[in-house]
Amino acid sequence: MNDHPSHTPKDSHYARLRRVHRDRARETAPAATDDGIVRLYGLHTVAAALANPRRKAIRLRVTRNAMNRLGLEAEAISCPVEIVDPRQLDGELGGDAVHQGVLLEAQPLPSPGLGKLGKTDLVLVLDQVTDPHNVGAILRSATAFGAGAVITTSRHSPQESGVLAKAASGALEEIPYIQVVNLADALETLKQDGFQTIGLDSDGPVALEPAFGAGKVALVLGSEGKGLRQKTRSTVDTLARLEVPGAIRSLNVSNAAAVSLYAARRYLSQA
């Protein structure tokens, strides 16, 4: 389910439908190959990957039109370039992939540790958010609002893939995507580094804006449907809710992330 979090009975039917569509999408989504190579597609995604010195490109397959739209000369690209027909990419990626005539085979980015956060004052923590479209959109919002990292669990979270990167629209190359084994330990580490950890929950006892009270903020969002796990709820400093006055009390997790990032950045800029 994509709502975050929603526990009302009337949503249960739609939750089941969303889970079915989500699982089907995962079964057909282009991702990493058996040898660990990631296939990235889409003009913004590939252009950002080629411009990222941390990304090791292996092979670029591109149509002539897309090559012109990228604005790059083949000699300036750090990997072999193969000019292809659009139908070749359609056949390889499937009809649902909006590849825009470009496919880059590359090595996954190295995952930095929590010690690489630097001087950032804002991070986003995801507690088993599984949908790559949602995580990609969250990476994009986190980058837009100047977050220093998106932290997630190494299990029950999407790995790097073409679907995630396309949804992130280049943001995967801009913001560290940190995967940790134990989320509770990671939250304790963030606390030791001076972060106030705030878990987003529709039934949180306080609204988000009054909950802010530190110079560094870690926003914690739970999985689609279930929300935060009990261990996470007991580990964060505060549980807070987004004030949603309409008939629907919950937001899609990526939308909730964008709204909470906006509120946190506004608070931090005024603090």
Side-chain angles (χ1 to χ4, degrees), residues 38-41 44-57 104 106-110 139-140 143 160-161 164-166 168-177:
V38 178
R39 298 186 296 172
L40 306 173
Y41 56 87
H44 288 300
T45 301
V46 171
L50 291 172
N52 184 0
R54 298 182 299 113
R55 174 73 75 178
K56 180 175 175 53
L104 177 67
Q107 295 288 347
L109 288 170
L139 286 165
R140 185 173 183 177
T143 302
E160 240 185 84
S161 70
L164 187 151
K166 184 66 167 63
S169 192
L172 182 61
E173 312 298 326
E174 301 292 337
I175 186 170
Y177 182 51

PDB file of all heavy atoms in Angstrom, residues 38-41 44-57 104 106-110 139-140 143 160-161 164-166 168-177:
ATOM      1  N   VAL A  38      24.169  -2.460 -12.902  1.00  0.00           N
ATOM      2  CA  VAL A  38      22.901  -1.737 -12.854  1.00  0.00           C
ATOM      3  C   VAL A  38      22.620  -1.141 -14.228  1.00  0.00           C
ATOM      4  O   VAL A  38      23.516  -0.581 -14.871  1.00  0.00           O
ATOM      5  CB  VAL A  38      22.943  -0.620 -11.791  1.00  0.00           C
ATOM      6  CG1 VAL A  38      21.643   0.166 -11.789  1.00  0.00           C
ATOM      7  CG2 VAL A  38      23.190  -1.220 -10.413  1.00  0.00           C
ATOM      8  N   ARG A  39      21.381  -1.272 -14.682  1.00  0.00           N
ATOM      9  CA  ARG A  39      20.979  -0.698 -15.970  1.00  0.00           C
ATOM     10  C   ARG A  39      20.160   0.563 -15.711  1.00  0.00           C
ATOM     11  O   ARG A  39      19.041   0.498 -15.206  1.00  0.00           O
ATOM     12  CB  ARG A  39      20.191  -1.724 -16.782  1.00  0.00           C
ATOM     13  CG  ARG A  39      21.014  -2.963 -17.117  1.00  0.00           C
ATOM     14  CD  ARG A  39      20.261  -3.896 -18.048  1.00  0.00           C
ATOM     15  NE  ARG A  39      19.049  -4.430 -17.418  1.00  0.00           N
ATOM     16  CZ  ARG A  39      18.133  -5.135 -18.064  1.00  0.00           C
ATOM     17  NH1 ARG A  39      18.263  -5.365 -19.349  1.00  0.00           N
ATOM     18  NH2 ARG A  39      17.071  -5.603 -17.432  1.00  0.00           N
ATOM     19  N   LEU A  40      20.731   1.692 -16.045  1.00  0.00           N
ATOM     20  CA  LEU A  40      20.102   2.991 -15.834  1.00  0.00           C
ATOM     21  C   LEU A  40      19.571   3.515 -17.162  1.00  0.00           C
ATOM     22  O   LEU A  40      20.252   3.416 -18.189  1.00  0.00           O
ATOM     23  CB  LEU A  40      21.115   3.987 -15.252  1.00  0.00           C
ATOM     24  CG  LEU A  40      21.838   3.545 -13.979  1.00  0.00           C
ATOM     25  CD1 LEU A  40      22.918   4.544 -13.605  1.00  0.00           C
ATOM     26  CD2 LEU A  40      20.848   3.358 -12.836  1.00  0.00           C
ATOM     27  N   TYR A  41      18.376   4.080 -17.146  1.00  0.00           N
ATOM     28  CA  TYR A  41      17.798   4.573 -18.387  1.00  0.00           C
ATOM     29  C   TYR A  41      17.060   5.885 -18.143  1.00  0.00           C
ATOM     30  O   TYR A  41      16.724   6.236 -17.008  1.00  0.00           O
ATOM     31  CB  TYR A  41      16.865   3.532 -19.007  1.00  0.00           C
ATOM     32  CG  TYR A  41      15.755   3.053 -18.094  1.00  0.00           C
ATOM     33  CD1 TYR A  41      14.546   3.737 -18.007  1.00  0.00           C
ATOM     34  CD2 TYR A  41      15.910   1.913 -17.317  1.00  0.00           C
ATOM     35  CE1 TYR A  41      13.529   3.303 -17.171  1.00  0.00           C
ATOM     36  CE2 TYR A  41      14.909   1.469 -16.478  1.00  0.00           C
ATOM     37  CZ  TYR A  41      13.722   2.168 -16.411  1.00  0.00           C
ATOM     38  OH  TYR A  41      12.719   1.744 -15.571  1.00  0.00           O
ATOM     39  N   HIS A  44      17.642  12.207 -18.042  1.00  0.00           N
ATOM     40  CA  HIS A  44      18.138  12.866 -16.826  1.00  0.00           C
ATOM     41  C   HIS A  44      18.968  11.891 -15.991  1.00  0.00           C
ATOM     42  O   HIS A  44      20.028  12.254 -15.461  1.00  0.00           O
ATOM     43  CB  HIS A  44      16.976  13.397 -15.997  1.00  0.00           C
ATOM     44  CG  HIS A  44      16.298  14.588 -16.588  1.00  0.00           C
ATOM     45  ND1 HIS A  44      16.965  15.769 -16.843  1.00  0.00           N
ATOM     46  CD2 HIS A  44      15.017  14.789 -16.988  1.00  0.00           C
ATOM     47  CE1 HIS A  44      16.120  16.646 -17.375  1.00  0.00           C
ATOM     48  NE2 HIS A  44      14.935  16.068 -17.475  1.00  0.00           N
ATOM     49  N   THR A  45      18.478  10.667 -15.875  1.00  0.00           N
ATOM     50  CA  THR A  45      19.160   9.662 -15.058  1.00  0.00           C
ATOM     51  C   THR A  45      20.547   9.362 -15.602  1.00  0.00           C
ATOM     52  O   THR A  45      21.539   9.356 -14.865  1.00  0.00           O
ATOM     53  CB  THR A  45      18.326   8.373 -15.015  1.00  0.00           C
ATOM     54  OG1 THR A  45      17.041   8.668 -14.467  1.00  0.00           O
ATOM     55  CG2 THR A  45      19.000   7.316 -14.169  1.00  0.00           C
ATOM     56  N   VAL A  46      20.628   9.113 -16.906  1.00  0.00           N
ATOM     57  CA  VAL A  46      21.906   8.749 -17.513  1.00  0.00           C
ATOM     58  C   VAL A  46      22.864   9.937 -17.554  1.00  0.00           C
ATOM     59  O   VAL A  46      24.062   9.783 -17.285  1.00  0.00           O
ATOM     60  CB  VAL A  46      21.670   8.153 -18.913  1.00  0.00           C
ATOM     61  CG1 VAL A  46      22.995   7.978 -19.654  1.00  0.00           C
ATOM     62  CG2 VAL A  46      20.947   6.815 -18.794  1.00  0.00           C
ATOM     63  N   ALA A  47      22.358  11.122 -17.868  1.00  0.00           N
ATOM     64  CA  ALA A  47      23.226  12.296 -17.886  1.00  0.00           C
ATOM     65  C   ALA A  47      23.855  12.536 -16.520  1.00  0.00           C
ATOM     66  O   ALA A  47      25.048  12.846 -16.402  1.00  0.00           O
ATOM     67  CB  ALA A  47      22.438  13.531 -18.331  1.00  0.00           C
ATOM     68  N   ALA A  48      23.048  12.381 -15.452  1.00  0.00           N
ATOM     69  CA  ALA A  48      23.573  12.567 -14.091  1.00  0.00           C
ATOM     70  C   ALA A  48      24.600  11.498 -13.754  1.00  0.00           C
ATOM     71  O   ALA A  48      25.618  11.775 -13.105  1.00  0.00           O
ATOM     72  CB  ALA A  48      22.426  12.545 -13.083  1.00  0.00           C
ATOM     73  N   ALA A  49      24.349  10.250 -14.191  1.00  0.00           N
ATOM     74  CA  ALA A  49      25.290   9.164 -13.911  1.00  0.00           C
ATOM     75  C   ALA A  49      26.614   9.385 -14.628  1.00  0.00           C
ATOM     76  O   ALA A  49      27.696   9.167 -14.068  1.00  0.00           O
ATOM     77  CB  ALA A  49      24.675   7.826 -14.313  1.00  0.00           C
ATOM     78  N   LEU A  50      26.560   9.830 -15.888  1.00  0.00           N
ATOM     79  CA  LEU A  50      27.787  10.077 -16.643  1.00  0.00           C
ATOM     80  C   LEU A  50      28.584  11.235 -16.055  1.00  0.00           C
ATOM     81  O   LEU A  50      29.819  11.270 -16.167  1.00  0.00           O
ATOM     82  CB  LEU A  50      27.450  10.369 -18.105  1.00  0.00           C
ATOM     83  CG  LEU A  50      26.915   9.182 -18.916  1.00  0.00           C
ATOM     84  CD1 LEU A  50      26.442   9.640 -20.286  1.00  0.00           C
ATOM     85  CD2 LEU A  50      27.979   8.093 -19.060  1.00  0.00           C
ATOM     86  N   ALA A  51      27.892  12.180 -15.415  1.00  0.00           N
ATOM     87  CA  ALA A  51      28.570  13.340 -14.830  1.00  0.00           C
ATOM     88  C   ALA A  51      29.087  13.066 -13.427  1.00  0.00           C
ATOM     89  O   ALA A  51      29.790  13.895 -12.853  1.00  0.00           O
ATOM     90  CB  ALA A  51      27.614  14.531 -14.803  1.00  0.00           C
ATOM     91  N   ASN A  52      28.749  11.908 -12.862  1.00  0.00           N
ATOM     92  CA  ASN A  52      29.122  11.583 -11.495  1.00  0.00           C
ATOM     93  C   ASN A  52      30.472  10.867 -11.483  1.00  0.00           C
ATOM     94  O   ASN A  52      30.574   9.735 -11.960  1.00  0.00           O
ATOM     95  CB  ASN A  52      28.050  10.685 -10.855  1.00  0.00           C
ATOM     96  CG  ASN A  52      28.332  10.388  -9.398  1.00  0.00           C
ATOM     97  OD1 ASN A  52      29.318  10.838  -8.825  1.00  0.00           O
ATOM     98  ND2 ASN A  52      27.454   9.608  -8.786  1.00  0.00           N
ATOM     99  N   PRO A  53      31.513  11.476 -10.934  1.00  0.00           N
ATOM    100  CA  PRO A  53      32.831  10.816 -10.938  1.00  0.00           C
ATOM    101  C   PRO A  53      32.866   9.546 -10.095  1.00  0.00           C
ATOM    102  O   PRO A  53      33.770   8.726 -10.257  1.00  0.00           O
ATOM    103  CB  PRO A  53      33.760  11.896 -10.371  1.00  0.00           C
ATOM    104  CG  PRO A  53      32.862  12.819  -9.596  1.00  0.00           C
ATOM    105  CD  PRO A  53      31.552  12.810 -10.310  1.00  0.00           C
ATOM    106  N   ARG A  54      31.897   9.366  -9.187  1.00  0.00           N
ATOM    107  CA  ARG A  54      31.868   8.158  -8.358  1.00  0.00           C
ATOM    108  C   ARG A  54      31.206   6.983  -9.073  1.00  0.00           C
ATOM    109  O   ARG A  54      31.269   5.854  -8.597  1.00  0.00           O
ATOM    110  CB  ARG A  54      31.121   8.444  -7.046  1.00  0.00           C
ATOM    111  CG  ARG A  54      31.769   9.500  -6.177  1.00  0.00           C
ATOM    112  CD  ARG A  54      31.007   9.691  -4.871  1.00  0.00           C
ATOM    113  NE  ARG A  54      29.641  10.136  -5.091  1.00  0.00           N
ATOM    114  CZ  ARG A  54      28.558   9.422  -4.822  1.00  0.00           C
ATOM    115  NH1 ARG A  54      28.676   8.204  -4.313  1.00  0.00           N
ATOM    116  NH2 ARG A  54      27.357   9.909  -5.054  1.00  0.00           N
ATOM    117  N   ARG A  55      30.585   7.239 -10.209  1.00  0.00           N
ATOM    118  CA  ARG A  55      29.869   6.195 -10.948  1.00  0.00           C
ATOM    119  C   ARG A  55      30.784   5.605 -12.024  1.00  0.00           C
ATOM    120  O   ARG A  55      31.274   6.332 -12.889  1.00  0.00           O
ATOM    121  CB  ARG A  55      28.614   6.771 -11.586  1.00  0.00           C
ATOM    122  CG  ARG A  55      27.860   5.816 -12.498  1.00  0.00           C
ATOM    123  CD  ARG A  55      27.127   4.761 -11.733  1.00  0.00           C
ATOM    124  NE  ARG A  55      25.912   5.290 -11.101  1.00  0.00           N
ATOM    125  CZ  ARG A  55      25.070   4.535 -10.387  1.00  0.00           C
ATOM    126  NH1 ARG A  55      25.317   3.246 -10.209  1.00  0.00           N
ATOM    127  NH2 ARG A  55      24.000   5.084  -9.837  1.00  0.00           N
ATOM    128  N   LYS A  56      31.004   4.312 -11.994  1.00  0.00           N
ATOM    129  CA  LYS A  56      31.824   3.641 -13.008  1.00  0.00           C
ATOM    130  C   LYS A  56      30.918   3.138 -14.122  1.00  0.00           C
ATOM    131  O   LYS A  56      30.165   2.181 -13.943  1.00  0.00           O
ATOM    132  CB  LYS A  56      32.613   2.488 -12.391  1.00  0.00           C
ATOM    133  CG  LYS A  56      33.485   1.753 -13.408  1.00  0.00           C
ATOM    134  CD  LYS A  56      34.348   0.707 -12.751  1.00  0.00           C
ATOM    135  CE  LYS A  56      35.125  -0.097 -13.809  1.00  0.00           C
ATOM    136  NZ  LYS A  56      35.891   0.759 -14.730  1.00  0.00           N
ATOM    137  N   ALA A  57      30.979   3.807 -15.268  1.00  0.00           N
ATOM    138  CA  ALA A  57      30.173   3.424 -16.419  1.00  0.00           C
ATOM    139  C   ALA A  57      30.849   2.294 -17.179  1.00  0.00           C
ATOM    140  O   ALA A  57      32.081   2.265 -17.313  1.00  0.00           O
ATOM    141  CB  ALA A  57      29.961   4.628 -17.332  1.00  0.00           C
ATOM    142  N   LEU A 104      22.306   2.951 -19.880  1.00  0.00           N
ATOM    143  CA  LEU A 104      23.677   2.910 -19.394  1.00  0.00           C
ATOM    144  C   LEU A 104      23.856   1.712 -18.477  1.00  0.00           C
ATOM    145  O   LEU A 104      23.126   1.558 -17.493  1.00  0.00           O
ATOM    146  CB  LEU A 104      24.013   4.196 -18.627  1.00  0.00           C
ATOM    147  CG  LEU A 104      25.409   4.258 -17.992  1.00  0.00           C
ATOM    148  CD1 LEU A 104      26.486   4.301 -19.067  1.00  0.00           C
ATOM    149  CD2 LEU A 104      25.532   5.456 -17.052  1.00  0.00           C
ATOM    150  N   ALA A 106      26.217   0.156 -15.703  1.00  0.00           N
ATOM    151  CA  ALA A 106      27.190   0.748 -14.789  1.00  0.00           C
ATOM    152  C   ALA A 106      27.314  -0.092 -13.530  1.00  0.00           C
ATOM    153  O   ALA A 106      26.464  -0.936 -13.235  1.00  0.00           O
ATOM    154  CB  ALA A 106      26.774   2.173 -14.429  1.00  0.00           C
ATOM    155  N   GLN A 107      28.368   0.161 -12.784  1.00  0.00           N
ATOM    156  CA  GLN A 107      28.534  -0.458 -11.481  1.00  0.00           C
ATOM    157  C   GLN A 107      27.672   0.280 -10.466  1.00  0.00           C
ATOM    158  O   GLN A 107      27.482   1.496 -10.575  1.00  0.00           O
ATOM    159  CB  GLN A 107      30.004  -0.400 -11.039  1.00  0.00           C
ATOM    160  CG  GLN A 107      30.945  -1.212 -11.898  1.00  0.00           C
ATOM    161  CD  GLN A 107      30.774  -2.707 -11.687  1.00  0.00           C
ATOM    162  OE1 GLN A 107      30.124  -3.139 -10.726  1.00  0.00           O
ATOM    163  NE2 GLN A 107      31.334  -3.502 -12.573  1.00  0.00           N
ATOM    164  N   PRO A 108      27.124  -0.416  -9.461  1.00  0.00           N
ATOM    165  CA  PRO A 108      26.391   0.281  -8.396  1.00  0.00           C
ATOM    166  C   PRO A 108      27.314   1.258  -7.676  1.00  0.00           C
ATOM    167  O   PRO A 108      28.530   1.063  -7.609  1.00  0.00           O
ATOM    168  CB  PRO A 108      25.948  -0.856  -7.459  1.00  0.00           C
ATOM    169  CG  PRO A 108      26.050  -2.099  -8.273  1.00  0.00           C
ATOM    170  CD  PRO A 108      27.157  -1.884  -9.246  1.00  0.00           C
ATOM    171  N   LEU A 109      26.729   2.317  -7.141  1.00  0.00           N
ATOM    172  CA  LEU A 109      27.510   3.269  -6.366  1.00  0.00           C
ATOM    173  C   LEU A 109      27.933   2.642  -5.042  1.00  0.00           C
ATOM    174  O   LEU A 109      27.165   1.884  -4.441  1.00  0.00           O
ATOM    175  CB  LEU A 109      26.682   4.529  -6.088  1.00  0.00           C
ATOM    176  CG  LEU A 109      26.425   5.454  -7.267  1.00  0.00           C
ATOM    177  CD1 LEU A 109      25.398   6.514  -6.888  1.00  0.00           C
ATOM    178  CD2 LEU A 109      27.706   6.106  -7.742  1.00  0.00           C
ATOM    179  N   PRO A 110      29.123   2.948  -4.564  1.00  0.00           N
ATOM    180  CA  PRO A 110      29.507   2.473  -3.236  1.00  0.00           C
ATOM    181  C   PRO A 110      28.620   3.112  -2.176  1.00  0.00           C
ATOM    182  O   PRO A 110      28.311   4.306  -2.250  1.00  0.00           O
ATOM    183  CB  PRO A 110      30.967   2.926  -3.103  1.00  0.00           C
ATOM    184  CG  PRO A 110      31.110   4.057  -4.079  1.00  0.00           C
ATOM    185  CD  PRO A 110      30.169   3.754  -5.203  1.00  0.00           C
ATOM    186  N   LEU A 139      14.179  10.276  -2.782  1.00  0.00           N
ATOM    187  CA  LEU A 139      15.540  10.739  -3.053  1.00  0.00           C
ATOM    188  C   LEU A 139      15.521  12.091  -3.761  1.00  0.00           C
ATOM    189  O   LEU A 139      16.320  12.981  -3.452  1.00  0.00           O
ATOM    190  CB  LEU A 139      16.281   9.715  -3.911  1.00  0.00           C
ATOM    191  CG  LEU A 139      16.725   8.426  -3.212  1.00  0.00           C
ATOM    192  CD1 LEU A 139      17.103   7.367  -4.246  1.00  0.00           C
ATOM    193  CD2 LEU A 139      17.902   8.694  -2.287  1.00  0.00           C
ATOM    194  N   ARG A 140      14.599  12.238  -4.690  1.00  0.00           N
ATOM    195  CA  ARG A 140      14.487  13.501  -5.426  1.00  0.00           C
ATOM    196  C   ARG A 140      14.087  14.643  -4.498  1.00  0.00           C
ATOM    197  O   ARG A 140      14.678  15.727  -4.530  1.00  0.00           O
ATOM    198  CB  ARG A 140      13.460  13.337  -6.555  1.00  0.00           C
ATOM    199  CG  ARG A 140      13.347  14.534  -7.472  1.00  0.00           C
ATOM    200  CD  ARG A 140      12.432  14.213  -8.640  1.00  0.00           C
ATOM    201  NE  ARG A 140      12.345  15.316  -9.579  1.00  0.00           N
ATOM    202  CZ  ARG A 140      11.664  15.294 -10.709  1.00  0.00           C
ATOM    203  NH1 ARG A 140      11.010  14.184 -11.045  1.00  0.00           N
ATOM    204  NH2 ARG A 140      11.626  16.330 -11.508  1.00  0.00           N
ATOM    205  N   THR A 143      16.951  15.557  -2.074  1.00  0.00           N
ATOM    206  CA  THR A 143      17.963  16.365  -2.742  1.00  0.00           C
ATOM    207  C   THR A 143      17.490  17.806  -2.900  1.00  0.00           C
ATOM    208  O   THR A 143      18.244  18.754  -2.661  1.00  0.00           O
ATOM    209  CB  THR A 143      18.301  15.756  -4.114  1.00  0.00           C
ATOM    210  OG1 THR A 143      18.746  14.409  -3.935  1.00  0.00           O
ATOM    211  CG2 THR A 143      19.384  16.547  -4.811  1.00  0.00           C
ATOM    212  N   GLU A 160      19.699  -0.459  -5.674  1.00  0.00           N
ATOM    213  CA  GLU A 160      19.840   0.384  -6.857  1.00  0.00           C
ATOM    214  C   GLU A 160      19.274  -0.337  -8.066  1.00  0.00           C
ATOM    215  O   GLU A 160      19.561  -1.517  -8.289  1.00  0.00           O
ATOM    216  CB  GLU A 160      21.326   0.659  -7.099  1.00  0.00           C
ATOM    217  CG  GLU A 160      21.673   2.133  -7.046  1.00  0.00           C
ATOM    218  CD  GLU A 160      23.122   2.364  -7.416  1.00  0.00           C
ATOM    219  OE1 GLU A 160      23.413   2.445  -8.614  1.00  0.00           O
ATOM    220  OE2 GLU A 160      23.941   2.444  -6.499  1.00  0.00           O
ATOM    221  N   SER A 161      18.489   0.358  -8.867  1.00  0.00           N
ATOM    222  CA  SER A 161      17.919  -0.238 -10.068  1.00  0.00           C
ATOM    223  C   SER A 161      17.523   0.866 -11.026  1.00  0.00           C
ATOM    224  O   SER A 161      17.490   2.056 -10.668  1.00  0.00           O
ATOM    225  CB  SER A 161      16.684  -1.086  -9.720  1.00  0.00           C
ATOM    226  OG  SER A 161      15.603  -0.250  -9.311  1.00  0.00           O
ATOM    227  N   LEU A 164      14.274   2.634  -9.698  1.00  0.00           N
ATOM    228  CA  LEU A 164      14.538   3.591  -8.620  1.00  0.00           C
ATOM    229  C   LEU A 164      15.234   4.831  -9.162  1.00  0.00           C
ATOM    230  O   LEU A 164      14.864   5.968  -8.836  1.00  0.00           O
ATOM    231  CB  LEU A 164      15.386   2.914  -7.542  1.00  0.00           C
ATOM    232  CG  LEU A 164      15.638   3.709  -6.246  1.00  0.00           C
ATOM    233  CD1 LEU A 164      15.814   2.739  -5.072  1.00  0.00           C
ATOM    234  CD2 LEU A 164      16.875   4.589  -6.348  1.00  0.00           C
ATOM    235  N   ALA A 165      16.255   4.638  -9.997  1.00  0.00           N
ATOM    236  CA  ALA A 165      17.018   5.771 -10.524  1.00  0.00           C
ATOM    237  C   ALA A 165      16.159   6.657 -11.414  1.00  0.00           C
ATOM    238  O   ALA A 165      16.277   7.888 -11.385  1.00  0.00           O
ATOM    239  CB  ALA A 165      18.236   5.259 -11.292  1.00  0.00           C
ATOM    240  N   LYS A 166      15.274   6.044 -12.218  1.00  0.00           N
ATOM    241  CA  LYS A 166      14.405   6.838 -13.104  1.00  0.00           C
ATOM    242  C   LYS A 166      13.452   7.679 -12.275  1.00  0.00           C
ATOM    243  O   LYS A 166      13.213   8.854 -12.578  1.00  0.00           O
ATOM    244  CB  LYS A 166      13.616   5.915 -14.031  1.00  0.00           C
ATOM    245  CG  LYS A 166      12.757   6.651 -15.068  1.00  0.00           C
ATOM    246  CD  LYS A 166      13.635   7.396 -16.059  1.00  0.00           C
ATOM    247  CE  LYS A 166      12.856   7.874 -17.276  1.00  0.00           C
ATOM    248  NZ  LYS A 166      11.794   8.837 -16.958  1.00  0.00           N
ATOM    249  N   ALA A 168      14.013   8.777  -9.353  1.00  0.00           N
ATOM    250  CA  ALA A 168      14.807   9.802  -8.675  1.00  0.00           C
ATOM    251  C   ALA A 168      15.228  10.917  -9.617  1.00  0.00           C
ATOM    252  O   ALA A 168      15.637  11.992  -9.155  1.00  0.00           O
ATOM    253  CB  ALA A 168      16.043   9.170  -8.041  1.00  0.00           C
ATOM    254  N   SER A 169      15.160  10.685 -10.923  1.00  0.00           N
ATOM    255  CA  SER A 169      15.461  11.695 -11.934  1.00  0.00           C
ATOM    256  C   SER A 169      16.812  12.364 -11.703  1.00  0.00           C
ATOM    257  O   SER A 169      16.936  13.590 -11.713  1.00  0.00           O
ATOM    258  CB  SER A 169      14.351  12.758 -11.976  1.00  0.00           C
ATOM    259  OG  SER A 169      14.475  13.587 -13.122  1.00  0.00           O
ATOM    260  N   GLY A 170      17.834  11.552 -11.482  1.00  0.00           N
ATOM    261  CA  GLY A 170      19.186  12.065 -11.300  1.00  0.00           C
ATOM    262  C   GLY A 170      19.613  12.222  -9.859  1.00  0.00           C
ATOM    263  O   GLY A 170      20.805  12.366  -9.571  1.00  0.00           O
ATOM    264  N   ALA A 171      18.667  12.200  -8.924  1.00  0.00           N
ATOM    265  CA  ALA A 171      18.998  12.449  -7.519  1.00  0.00           C
ATOM    266  C   ALA A 171      19.828  11.326  -6.913  1.00  0.00           C
ATOM    267  O   ALA A 171      20.563  11.557  -5.950  1.00  0.00           O
ATOM    268  CB  ALA A 171      17.722  12.646  -6.704  1.00  0.00           C
ATOM    269  N   LEU A 172      19.751  10.116  -7.462  1.00  0.00           N
ATOM    270  CA  LEU A 172      20.539   9.009  -6.932  1.00  0.00           C
ATOM    271  C   LEU A 172      22.032   9.314  -7.012  1.00  0.00           C
ATOM    272  O   LEU A 172      22.822   8.825  -6.206  1.00  0.00           O
ATOM    273  CB  LEU A 172      20.226   7.730  -7.711  1.00  0.00           C
ATOM    274  CG  LEU A 172      20.924   6.447  -7.259  1.00  0.00           C
ATOM    275  CD1 LEU A 172      20.553   6.101  -5.817  1.00  0.00           C
ATOM    276  CD2 LEU A 172      20.576   5.286  -8.189  1.00  0.00           C
ATOM    277  N   GLU A 173      22.424  10.146  -7.981  1.00  0.00           N
ATOM    278  CA  GLU A 173      23.829  10.508  -8.138  1.00  0.00           C
ATOM    279  C   GLU A 173      24.220  11.674  -7.231  1.00  0.00           C
ATOM    280  O   GLU A 173      25.409  11.976  -7.092  1.00  0.00           O
ATOM    281  CB  GLU A 173      24.107  10.894  -9.599  1.00  0.00           C
ATOM    282  CG  GLU A 173      23.578   9.935 -10.633  1.00  0.00           C
ATOM    283  CD  GLU A 173      24.188   8.548 -10.546  1.00  0.00           C
ATOM    284  OE1 GLU A 173      25.383   8.459 -10.194  1.00  0.00           O
ATOM    285  OE2 GLU A 173      23.471   7.560 -10.833  1.00  0.00           O
ATOM    286  N   GLU A 174      23.250  12.338  -6.634  1.00  0.00           N
ATOM    287  CA  GLU A 174      23.511  13.565  -5.886  1.00  0.00           C
ATOM    288  C   GLU A 174      23.517  13.387  -4.378  1.00  0.00           C
ATOM    289  O   GLU A 174      24.180  14.145  -3.658  1.00  0.00           O
ATOM    290  CB  GLU A 174      22.457  14.623  -6.248  1.00  0.00           C
ATOM    291  CG  GLU A 174      22.397  14.986  -7.720  1.00  0.00           C
ATOM    292  CD  GLU A 174      23.643  15.715  -8.182  1.00  0.00           C
ATOM    293  OE1 GLU A 174      24.319  16.317  -7.336  1.00  0.00           O
ATOM    294  OE2 GLU A 174      23.943  15.675  -9.394  1.00  0.00           O
ATOM    295  N   ILE A 175      22.779  12.422  -3.868  1.00  0.00           N
ATOM    296  CA  ILE A 175      22.611  12.289  -2.417  1.00  0.00           C
ATOM    297  C   ILE A 175      22.997  10.882  -1.982  1.00  0.00           C
ATOM    298  O   ILE A 175      22.633   9.904  -2.652  1.00  0.00           O
ATOM    299  CB  ILE A 175      21.159  12.616  -1.998  1.00  0.00           C
ATOM    300  CG1 ILE A 175      21.014  12.621  -0.470  1.00  0.00           C
ATOM    301  CG2 ILE A 175      20.163  11.670  -2.641  1.00  0.00           C
ATOM    302  CD1 ILE A 175      19.668  13.180  -0.014  1.00  0.00           C
ATOM    303  N   PRO A 176      23.742  10.733  -0.897  1.00  0.00           N
ATOM    304  CA  PRO A 176      24.092   9.390  -0.432  1.00  0.00           C
ATOM    305  C   PRO A 176      22.848   8.575  -0.075  1.00  0.00           C
ATOM    306  O   PRO A 176      21.968   9.060   0.642  1.00  0.00           O
ATOM    307  CB  PRO A 176      24.951   9.660   0.810  1.00  0.00           C
ATOM    308  CG  PRO A 176      25.507  11.029   0.609  1.00  0.00           C
ATOM    309  CD  PRO A 176      24.437  11.785  -0.115  1.00  0.00           C
ATOM    310  N   TYR A 177      22.810   7.356  -0.587  1.00  0.00           N
ATOM    311  CA  TYR A 177      21.740   6.400  -0.280  1.00  0.00           C
ATOM    312  C   TYR A 177      22.386   5.341   0.600  1.00  0.00           C
ATOM    313  O   TYR A 177      23.042   4.426   0.118  1.00  0.00           O
ATOM    314  CB  TYR A 177      21.188   5.818  -1.581  1.00  0.00           C
ATOM    315  CG  TYR A 177      20.041   4.838  -1.424  1.00  0.00           C
ATOM    316  CD1 TYR A 177      18.916   5.153  -0.670  1.00  0.00           C
ATOM    317  CD2 TYR A 177      20.060   3.602  -2.078  1.00  0.00           C
ATOM    318  CE1 TYR A 177      17.863   4.257  -0.556  1.00  0.00           C
ATOM    319  CE2 TYR A 177      19.011   2.703  -1.974  1.00  0.00           C
ATOM    320  CZ  TYR A 177      17.914   3.037  -1.210  1.00  0.00           C
ATOM    321  OH  TYR A 177      16.863   2.145  -1.105  1.00  0.00           O
TER     322      TYR A 177
END
